[in-house]
Amino acid sequence: MVDKDTVKLIKERCAFMRRDIIEMGFIAGGRGAHFGPALSCTEIVASLFFKVMKHNPKNPKWAERDRFIQSKGHGCLAYYSALIESGYIDKDQRKTFKQDGSHLPGHPSRDMEHGIEISSGSLGNGFAIACGMAKAAQIKKEDHTYFCLVGDGECNEGLIWEAAMNASKNKLDNMVAIIDRNGVQLAGKTCDIMDFDLVSAWKAFGWEVTVLKEGNDPAVIVETLELAKQKRNGKPQAIIAETIKGKGISFMEGSLNWHAGVMNEEQYNQAVSELEKA
Amino acid sequence: MNNITSEKLQEWSKAGHRTIMGETLYMLAQERDNVVVSTADLTPTARLTKIRDDFPERFFDVGIAEQNLIDFTAGLSVEGLLPFAVDMAAIVPMRCAEQMRVSMAYMNLNAKVISIEAGVRFGPLGNTHYAMDDIAVVRTMPNFTILCPADPLSVHKAIIAAADHEGPVYIRLTGGPGFPVIYKEDFDFQIGKAIELKEGKDVAFISTGCQLAETVAAAEALEAKGISSRVIDMHTVKPLDKDILDSVFAENKLIITVEEHSSVGGLGSAVAEYKAGFSNTPRQIIASLGDKFQEVGDHKYITTNAGLKAPALAALAEANL
Ligand SMILES: Cc1ncc(C[n+]2csc(CCOP(=O)(O)OP(=O)(O)O)c2C)c(N)n1
């Protein structure tokens, strides 16, 4: 069991992160932002940054750190907000999100000074790169863990499966893939666009699969991820986390309209007041 | 080439670029414990069996999954290793263009991609196996260095130069069994610095890859007829050696670029793009495989048809001077 204080802390951090996400997304103005994809994985990213991962914001290049790789790069607002709340990125940088000349573009760009391990945004590639990174750690006999966040729609990509089979062949048990199964991708529901049995597929490719029914509940997430992190049984771990796209903002939850969008002032005020009340 | 004897060069000349590459990577793996080699089900074809057997912990076959070959290699590089991905020129830059662009070039990673059998060396296998567009594809990617060595010793030296260079490098290998030796002795192979093999005032041949031997022969034939011919080995297609091009623009009457590649986007295009910034430069002709799929045949048949053999190159110069 995860202790109450830890759960409380992560929930507090999630509240701050959601506030950052809405701020940055609103600042993007007419340029729009991927709200839904960031809000579905907020608890997952918070659990990693504020409990599960070993890392040090004062020393982003610390060799022994655990690595977070966001393969679903369009969900970067969750990543940026975790980096802001843990001190890798100054809070006042929020206003630069997606602005001209910004270091916080709409998809992460490798920036080791600020905790961004790789560039991602072209779906499929981040996960495949993460598997190469995990292999390098094995070659160098380093024992940190790689946590890679993958979208459920992203699993349509052939490259995911090329890398998945290679990971199990190489016994990458330092690799934990977390599939953000929010059930919605860009153009509609995942089950309508390309329906297949995600759990069986990951198993068939040689991964040990855990289904996390409460993918927005920090207590369950932390327990599951810590278990996965400890398992060094020769198999890469896939955590299929059932989440809610747009979680935390009533008009975004489960919506097909908030994969990406432009937020008007009224919506902004409503989102902020919902977060304040939560 | 401390340890490369002239017997070795003869052996490499007989064997062609795959063997030279396999042996050079083996030497690198022996000398540097950060060298990692990966391929996609081409281990014997790419002459990597010895590396596989002797360095199993640093050799990977990712299966027939070339996009993952590139991303896996990128990941190894992110964590500080010195990885080489080896695959077929006809497949890798084209199928994996996006992986090379976003996973290697964009992050400016220290990762190397080696293509074997570039051009039309796979002759009878047909157009699916020809790489006529790989320079064009990779040239569009910022940060990538492109090397295209011209003879056995150059292949060896290009791979070592790539290992010593910080950043993504694409090495395009041409020249099969019977690979003519141009550099018989050790020479200075510097990325971005072309080699002037022969001075000359009338035509300047600028060549990359194994067609250099044809170019040298063409220049000799022209000299016999009193036409002064310059020969330049542009082993680095990106970044181009602009200093030597400046001297060609000032001193020569005609430029012929020679490459076993499409007329679109290769060495000829690179030279023309640079030349476009100047007035009063010599006329340029691009000798290449043209902008078409090839009639199937062996390497000699296809390159003869394309006008890439020495007599045709000499005639081209004569007709245009
Ligand atoms: C290779 C590639 N193709 C298409 C896109 C455009 N795109 C961005 S997000 C997205 C949907 C992703 O859905 P999913 O993986 O389920 O992530 P979610 O937004 O639900 O978190 C698409 C198609 C892209 N970024 N990369």
Side-chain angles (χ1 to χ4, degrees), chain A residues 34 36-38 40-41 71-75 107 120-125 149-157 180-188 190 243 245 258-260, chain B residues 98:
Chain A
H34 286 88
S40 67
C41 64
S71 191
K72 46 166 269 187
H74 61 284
H107 297 89
S120 60
S122 160
L123 295 170
N125 289 307
L149 186 64
V150 179
D152 52 354
E154 188 179 6
C155 294
N156 299 170
E157 281 287 353
D180 182 2
R181 191 184 204 173
N182 57 34
V184 177
Q185 51 199 94
L186 186 150
T190 301
T243 61
K245 197 147 174 170
W258 282 98
H259 170 72
Chain B
E98 204 246 353

Side-chain angles (χ1 to χ4, degrees), chain B residues 200-204 206 230 232 234 240-257 267-284:
Chain B
K201 291 284 167 208
D202 298 327
V203 59
I206 305 173
R230 186 173 186 177
I232 291 166
M234 191 68 83
L240 280 179
D241 182 344
K242 293 181 175 163
D243 292 340
I244 207 159
L245 290 176
D246 290 345
S247 81
V248 167
F249 298 164
E251 295 161 19
N252 293 96
K253 297 179 192 147
L254 174 70
I255 299 170
I256 300 182
T257 54
L267 172 70
S269 298
V271 170
E273 285 161 21
Y274 180 59
K275 202 167 89 70
F278 303 90
S279 45
N280 301 322
T281 53
R283 178 171 171 219
Q284 178 191 350

Side-chain angles (χ1 to χ4, degrees), chain A residues 205-232:
Chain A
F205 278 80
W207 287 57
E208 186 165 312
V209 178
T210 306
V211 176
L212 204 170
K213 288 265 179 220
E214 293 89 17
N216 292 107
D217 178 348
V220 189
I221 298 169
V222 169
E223 194 173 353
T224 310
L225 292 183
E226 289 199 323
L227 200 67
K229 181 176 169 170
Q230 283 153 23
K231 266 190 199 163
R232 293 292 160 112

